[in-house]
Amino acid sequence: AAEHIENEETIIARYLAHPVDSRFFREHQQAHAAVIGELRLLMEQSISLSRQGETAAAIRRLHQQISVMFGEHAIQFDRDYHKHA
């Protein structure tokens, strides 16, 4: 995930004249930091659930939550990126 985020930020920065001064870019970077934090928490929760013998449930829950999280991120930022590009 971190590599994907780094690549995405590099691509966005190439298309914005002054990415560091762009509110959109800063907000997008902050959202990426939040995503990484949420991913870490989800992984910890999944490991805990799996250790309780609920591996299949842990995987389903992780998949569902990651799908929602990235879907919300795409709606909030990636559609807007195309307006800025």
Side-chain angles (χ1 to χ4, degrees):
E3 184 178 332
H4 168 82
I5 288 170
E6 189 175 313
N7 288 335
E8 182 177 303
E9 289 178 0
T10 299
I11 291 167
I12 293 170
R14 286 182 188 156
Y15 289 98
L16 295 175
H18 304 286
V20 175
D21 297 330
S22 168
R23 181 179 62 86
F24 168 78
F25 187 72
R26 285 191 317 272
E27 289 176 357
H28 203 156
Q29 282 184 309
Q30 291 169 350
H32 284 161
V35 163
I36 292 296
E38 289 177 44
L39 283 173
R40 286 184 179 131
L41 179 61
L42 289 173
M43 289 303 298
E44 289 172 10
Q45 292 171 347
S46 295
I47 290 167
S48 176
L49 192 56
S50 182
R51 286 182 178 156
Q52 296 171 26
E54 298 292 335
T55 303
I59 292 169
R60 280 192 302 273
R61 184 173 178 266
L62 180 65
H63 179 266
Q64 177 191 23
Q65 290 179 322
I66 287 175
S67 296
V68 168
M69 183 173 45
F70 280 101
E72 289 173 353
H73 178 85
I75 289 168
Q76 184 176 0
F77 289 100
D78 296 338
R79 286 184 185 175
D80 288 343
Y81 167 69
H82 295 289
K83 294 175 189 175
H84 291 84

